[in-house]
Every structure is written in structure tokens, then in C-alpha cells.
Amino acid sequence: MAMPMQHAPAPPSEELFVTGLPMDCTHIQAKQIFTQYGGVKQANVLPVAAGKTAAAAFIIMESVEDAKWVVDHVHGNVPQGLSNPVTVVFATPRAQRPKGGMKGGGKGGPPPEMMAMMMQMMSAMGGGDWGKGGGGGDWGKGGKGKW
């Protein structure tokens, strides 16, 4: 019997999405942590959202093999130099990340699982009225121009 799939895991690639990093983790520290396990091209620590207790980062490894090794051996474990376990998954390919939604969307926006988590948090905090219009602002009302 097939189970319904929530989100298909991302295909193996050099790009990893890591959560559970220390709040004060910098891209330099993140790169040093993962250099222990293979070549790291780039580490990009994301800004820590209000209310979060850990940081997240995109880590781009030199090869798919290095990235697979990190997912297989570091996911759920405590990397040397850290005190808590980290979650390591293959990042959703940029082309498949949802566009827009948040302010501007940047380079493809956060991965779907992060968006779902943020939406849950927003609704839990009573802020689930996105897009239903607010009381503020009179844009488009009045004015005498020929718009």
C-alpha cells in the first residue's frame, strides 16, 4: 500500500540544507564544520527568524559524493565542534522552490518545508490573515488624476 507523499525528498546534489546550527553560527564557522567531511564551495547561513532556537544554512559541497556522505553520516548526529545534532538534507533545487510569497521572494525563496513551518507558526500566533486585506492604507481611493 503506497503512502501519500508529503514532499518528495530533493534529488542528490552538491547543495545541502542544514538546520540545528548554533544561533550565532557564521558562514565561516559553517564552512569549517562541513570542511571536516569534504570540500565545501560555499556556506550561506540564513538569518535566524524571530522565535527560532537554531540557525539554518545552505552548504554547497564540491561534489555530489561529498554531499551524499554528509547526508548519510552527519544527519542526526553532532558534528565535531558543535554540541547539538544537526539535520542535513539535500536542498530543494532552486527551480522547484516556490517563488514569491514573502517579501520579494529573493532567489527562489525558502524551501517548501520551511514555508509550511512558517505558515503554521503564523497561524498559531494568530497572524493567519495574510492576503485578507487589513484596515490600513487608502491606496487607490480618491485622487483626481487620470489613472
Side-chain angles (χ1 to χ4, degrees), residues 37-100:
Y37 308 113
V40 176
K41 279 189 205 169
Q42 187 181 343
N44 183 16
V45 178
L46 303 173
V48 179
K52 293 283 185 188
T53 57
F58 284 106
I59 306 292
I60 302 174
M61 302 299 288
E62 292 286 346
S63 70
V64 175
E65 289 73 33
D66 285 350
K68 280 182 182 174
W69 194 94
V70 172
V71 170
D72 291 344
H73 296 91
V74 182
H75 173 72
N77 294 311
V78 180
Q80 198 167 346
L82 296 183
S83 51
N84 292 311
V86 294
T87 300
V88 183
V89 296
F90 292 110
T92 304
R94 279 195 167 92
Q96 293 175 20
R97 293 180 199 161
K99 303 244 184 311

